[in-house]
Amino acid sequence: MKTDIEIAKTIQMRPVTEVAAELGISLDDLELYGKYKAKVPLSYKSGQPRFKAPKLILVSAISPTPAGEGKTTLSIGLSQALNKINRQATVVLREPSLGPVFGIKGGATGGGYSQVLPMEDINLHFTGDFAAIEKAHNLLAALIDNNIQSKTRSLHLDPRTISWKRVMDVNDRSLRKIVAGLGGTSSGIPRETGFDITAASEVMAILCLSNDIRDLKKRLGNIFVGYTFDKKPVYARDLNAHGAMAALLKDAILPNLVQTMEGTPAFVHGGPFANIAQGTNTVIATKTSLALSEYTVTEAGFGFDLGAEKFLDIKCRVAGLTPNAVVLVATVRALKYHGGMSLKDLKTPDLKALKKGIVNLQKHIENIRLFNLAPIVAINKFATDSPEELDFIKEYCITTGVPASIADVWGQGGAGAMQLAELVVEEVTSCCSEFKPLYELNDRVENKIEIIANKIYGAEAVDYTPKAKADLRKIHDLGLEGLAICMAKTQKSLSDNPELLGRPKDFIITVREIEIAAGAGFLVPITGDIMRMPGLPETPASEHMDIDDEGNLTGLF
């Protein structure tokens, strides 16, 4: 069986200028990055839509497992399938982070015959967006330390209150907690700090939620830095940092246009994780696609309880978006895993484990309906799935009133999801969306957290550590209670305990602390053992990667 990169190399890509022309984008407007990548001006985002009543399709998934669910692959395959049934569709995805690429997950450009191309470029440095975000973030960090050091222009920042760390786009657990400024008076003031991964940066979140340059600059200025010694709050604008930070992001804010293996247009832009950030691509890319396409297929990271909830409660609220349908990806092997089956045995047919694990799918279907949205289940087929197992999931969905289709997008590309595409078209043309966010922004912070925990996760209650309670008081004193909630939680379980699979009940969510992301416009309650700087696994994916004398990459998957 060919690997993803081997399959990708068999495809003759179209020049990106052809892909752009298909969307009505002028060649003169493209900022080309070689033959197959380009950035698109912001003006296309707010232009007159090319299609009447364009449709937005959100792809989410059940709680992820080590077996993999193929949500990105399914999103790409669905967009290709929609084009095969004569609906003009574009897929909008996040950019991969080098942390997972070199760590445990590998690449994030789909798989098999449903990939976005050029996969090597997208998985590595792409158009430099991550590097620009990293530089903008670290510029603010440098300005903070410079101000602490200053004798004439000091804001009298209390180093003990500074929440702004540095970032880099590699998994490195040894950088989570560091002491900076060692080396004497010329090397700064010693203080405890650390590194987060770039995907967790508030600058990443801001870029993904900004509507234009003006909005970007305003949000950057609203970043909360810490307090002065006399307890006055300090923001990035107080350090005059936001103008230079925005300048560093002048190209990164432009959406990236590429293509799928079948030539379907694809915008790949922004890359926040869903377990520690909002987990969705940029507002700008999504709006650009909606202005240029009949159908926009987009995905949100991890399960519906994480990325999709944030897509709906944060991104849609900020951008004024209304999804027309939600496609929920499920797999036989993931549901068997949630039913207690071991990872090594998942290839063995087992209806008993499948029936036990189906409750995870059930809960995610219920969660979609909480937002008054119509769920469609996509059963992503793997070669080891038995017909009886596939039929059981499909029949279960039908008996609960949910359209469902078995899709083979890895092996067949768009042809493997044409029935799913027909279901999507039928759903969005026959049903009017009555989308409504889960909570009101002006509600108390505790209430918003508890609504998510109770309704989405199924928690019995929420507990707050003394640190979290102190953070709640700080949020109140700063007048930031009206911000949205961006929960940081394990993706492996509906609870904050990764060991509780299926549909756990009678559990308590514990909020350890609450980070302030005032620029992004949300608060980040941190639960469980969530780390904003991941570590590498015992055998990193990077060990399998190489490049030959002709520059051909191997081992990227």
Side-chain angles (χ1 to χ4, degrees), residues 401-441:
V402 179
S405 175
I406 299 167
D408 181 12
V409 292
W410 193 97
Q412 299 183 47
M418 291 177 68
Q419 184 190 50
L420 175 64
E422 295 282 7
L423 287 179
V424 168
V425 171
E426 181 182 344
E427 188 63 48
V428 301
T429 54
S430 64
C431 178
C432 296
S433 173
E434 297 179 1
F435 165 65
K436 182 181 179 182
L438 195 63
Y439 56 81
E440 298 296 331
L441 288 178

Side-chain angles (χ1 to χ4, degrees), residues 474-492:
K474 179 168 71 173
I475 291 162
H476 174 77
D477 293 342
L478 290 169
L480 299 176
E481 287 191 301
L483 299 183
I485 301 299
C486 184
M487 298 289 286
K489 181 185 75 69
T490 179
Q491 69 273 19
K492 297 177 181 179

Side-chain angles (χ1 to χ4, degrees), residues 189-297:
I189 306 296
R191 68 180 182 91
E192 289 188 44
T193 181
F195 276 78
D196 292 335
I197 194 164
T198 304
S201 166
E202 187 180 349
V203 178
M204 174 68 81
I206 287 170
L207 181 84
C208 290
L209 292 172
S210 295
N211 204 51
D212 50 35
I213 293 285
R214 178 181 293 182
D215 189 26
L216 173 72
K217 191 155 59 173
K218 180 181 178 181
R219 288 174 176 274
L220 292 170
N222 287 340
I223 292 172
F224 175 70
V225 171
Y227 290 96
T228 63
F229 281 104
D230 54 358
K231 306 301 182 186
K232 292 180 180 178
V234 175
Y235 298 88
R237 59 179 177 268
D238 299 319
L239 292 160
N240 297 317
H242 52 309
M245 293 171 71
L248 284 169
L249 298 170
K250 70 179 182 65
D251 294 323
I253 196 173
L254 305 177
N256 306 300
L257 177 65
V258 289
Q259 63 192 282
T260 74
M261 302 189 97
E262 297 180 10
T264 294
F267 287 105
V268 180
H269 197 210
F273 293 160
N275 59 340
I276 50 181
Q278 79 265 38
T280 68
N281 56 70
T282 66
V283 165
I284 288 171
T286 303
K287 284 190 168 183
T288 301
S289 179
L290 285 167
L292 300 175
S293 309
E294 182 183 11
Y295 280 75
T296 291
V297 179

